[in-house]
Amino acid sequence: MKKARSARDRAPSVSRTVLSALIAASLLHGCSPGDRTPPRGPQGAVPVTVGSAVRKDVPIQVRAIGAVEAYSTVSIKTMVGGQIVKVGFAEGQDVRKDDLLFQIDSAPYDAALRMAEGTLARDVALKDNAEKEVRRYASLIEKDLVPRQQYDQVVSSSAALEATVRADAAAVENARVQLAYCSIRSPIDGRTGSLLVQAGNVVKANESILVTINQVLPIRVAFSVPEQHLSEIRKYQAVGTLRVDAFPQDGNPNPALGSLSFIGNAVDSATGTIPLKGTFANVDKRLWPGQFVNVVLTLATRTGAVVVPSQALQTGQQGQYLFVVLPDLTVEARPVTTGQALGGETIVEKGVQAGEKVVTDGQLRLVPGAKVEAKQGVGG
């Protein structure tokens, strides 16, 4: 009986313990991080950052990754064989057109020229004598002092010597050309690459590349864009020259300026892109063959477009939308149709008017009709 009374005595204590635990759990739930009630401003407003929808002229642009390539590339070979006796440049040096690059030993070719000139002189003398013979035999044949056959032989000999002289003159000219080939000169203005054959080496005609020259003034940038831009590019190019900006990875925010100079004659069926090239004056030699650059092709300028800061745009199940701050400092979720994005701003085709305020930060705590405490931010 004593034990039963003890159990009854403990029952109120257990009830009080359970009640205390329920109250504590309720308090903890009220302070839980999962509470979705957003923090409010001084008067229950949600603090947000706002920007403005503005009307401005916006360039219509296509962006791509491009590779710089030389305007022209020439691989220098020798047209005659012989020993290289002189190299007239240093590796990596800028050269001008007609600058001496290599000198081949010219002694054999000079001797060949003198021999050809001697042969020509001899045959010219023989031809002159044959022509005199023809004139003498012509007077004799008129008097029937010599047979016609002998006269015909003299005339044929003179004609043969005349042909020989013409062949000798061609041989002399060829010898002069071969001698001129001993001096190898630059065909373009450009920059030399690695020297592949040193002085003292013997080279064969048209066999080994001696050096490669790249023309970098001007220079080209090759890039490709999706084929859906082709019709617009051709349309705007028909009106005028299209500007191409190239941004090398050199830390300079200013682009190299050029113009579109080439549109490929076929779309690449494997990638669905059309190859393009821009030409750049490159006076400062900022662009270099083989370099990768960001390319911006400007097609035209759209006047009076409405733009908003890009961070104002949100994506929902129904598409893109943004929060517009109304005059009473409440927000409205506004579906929008967007266009091109450029430099942190996006064109809004439909849904927002110029001058309206849009929320650029703090959207996650907003619902339509919520009161906001706005502060100016990007685009404000």
Side-chain angles (χ1 to χ4, degrees):
M1 295 297 294
K2 186 176 182 179
K3 289 182 180 180
R5 285 196 301 270
S6 298
R8 286 195 299 270
D9 293 340
R10 289 196 299 268
S13 175
V14 171
S15 299
R16 286 194 297 271
T17 301
V18 172
L19 180 60
S20 299
L22 291 173
I23 293 172
S26 176
L27 291 174
L28 287 174
H29 178 73
C31 299
S32 171
D35 185 2
R36 297 179 180 235
T37 303
R40 301 288 178 175
Q43 299 178 351
V46 179
V48 295
T49 303
V50 299
S52 297
V54 297
R55 190 178 299 278
K56 61 167 59 175
D57 295 342
V58 180
I60 301 173
Q61 296 178 332
V62 179
R63 297 173 179 268
I65 301 296
V68 182
E69 60 183 32
Y71 190 83
S72 60
T73 299
V74 179
S75 297
I76 303 298
K77 293 183 178 182
T78 176
M79 298 294 292
V80 294
Q83 184 181 37
I84 297 177
V85 296
K86 180 182 178 181
V87 176
F89 66 97
E91 290 182 313
Q93 176 184 331
D94 290 328
V95 294
R96 306 285 294 177
K97 184 178 180 180
D98 293 329
D99 282 354
L100 179 67
L101 301 177
F102 299 94
Q103 182 66 51
I104 306 293
D105 183 14
S106 62
Y109 301 97
D110 187 57
L113 174 60
R114 292 197 301 271
M115 182 179 296
E117 289 174 338
T119 301
L120 174 61
R122 182 199 63 192
D123 290 339
V124 167
L126 292 175
K127 181 181 76 72
D128 291 343
N129 183 66
E131 289 175 347
K132 294 176 182 178
E133 286 289 325
V134 170
R135 288 194 294 270
R136 283 196 295 268
Y137 271 84
S139 61
L140 294 175
I141 199 67
E142 291 177 356
K143 301 176 182 179
D144 291 330
L145 297 177
V146 293
R148 169 63 64 174
Q149 182 179 5
Q150 191 173 0
Y151 172 74
D152 291 341
Q153 289 175 350
V154 170
V155 172
S156 297
S157 298
S158 176
L161 286 171
E162 185 177 356
T164 301
V165 167
R166 288 198 296 269
D168 291 343
V172 169
E173 185 62 28
N174 181 65
R176 287 199 181 105
V177 170
Q178 297 296 308
L179 180 60
Y181 283 154
C182 292
S183 297
I184 303 176
R185 299 184 179 276
S186 176
I188 60 172
D189 294 344
R191 191 174 184 90
T192 59
S194 299
L195 182 60
L196 303 179
V197 179
Q198 304 289 337
N201 284 276
V202 176
V203 293
K204 295 182 179 179
N206 200 30
E207 185 176 81
S208 301
I209 296 175
L210 308 183
V211 71
T212 299
I213 301 175
N214 284 335
Q215 184 177 356
V216 296
L217 297 173
I219 204 166
R220 286 194 175 103
V221 173
F223 59 101
S224 297
V225 300
E227 61 180 301
Q228 59 262 34
H229 296 298
L230 178 58
S231 59
E232 284 189 331
I233 292 173
R234 294 182 60 194
K235 178 181 72 174
Y236 288 116
Q237 191 190 41
V239 177
T241 301
L242 300 184
R243 171 174 165 173
V244 180
D245 295 341
F247 294 85
Q249 305 300 317
D250 57 2
N252 186 346
N254 297 319
L257 304 180
S259 60
L260 186 66
S261 57
F262 170 78
I263 299 176
N265 60 1
V267 173
D268 187 336
S269 58
T271 61
T273 59
I274 182 73
L276 308 173
K277 290 183 181 181
T279 300
F280 297 75
N282 201 33
V283 177
D284 56 358
K285 297 183 180 177
R286 187 179 171 192
L287 301 178
W288 213 245
Q291 189 178 25
F292 287 97
V293 294
N294 294 316
V295 178
V296 178
L297 171 62
T298 301
L299 302 179
T301 299
R302 179 173 175 178
T303 59
V306 176
V307 299
V308 299
S310 297
Q311 58 265 45
L313 296 170
Q314 303 292 303
T315 302
Q317 293 181 349
Q318 305 301 321
Q320 289 188 306
Y321 68 96
L322 46 71
F323 286 102
V324 177
V325 180
L326 302 178
D328 61 356
L329 294 182
T330 61
V331 294
E332 175 187 6
R334 189 88 57 80
V336 293
T337 302
T338 60
Q340 179 182 2
L342 178 66
E345 296 180 324
T346 301
I347 297 176
V348 177
E349 306 286 357
K350 183 180 179 182
V352 177
Q353 299 297 321
E356 290 187 304
K357 298 294 184 180
V358 296
V359 178
T360 59
D361 187 35
Q363 297 97 323
L364 293 179
R365 295 178 291 176
L366 295 178
V367 293
K371 196 81 172 177
V372 296
E373 178 187 1
K375 62 178 181 178
Q376 294 298 114
V378 176

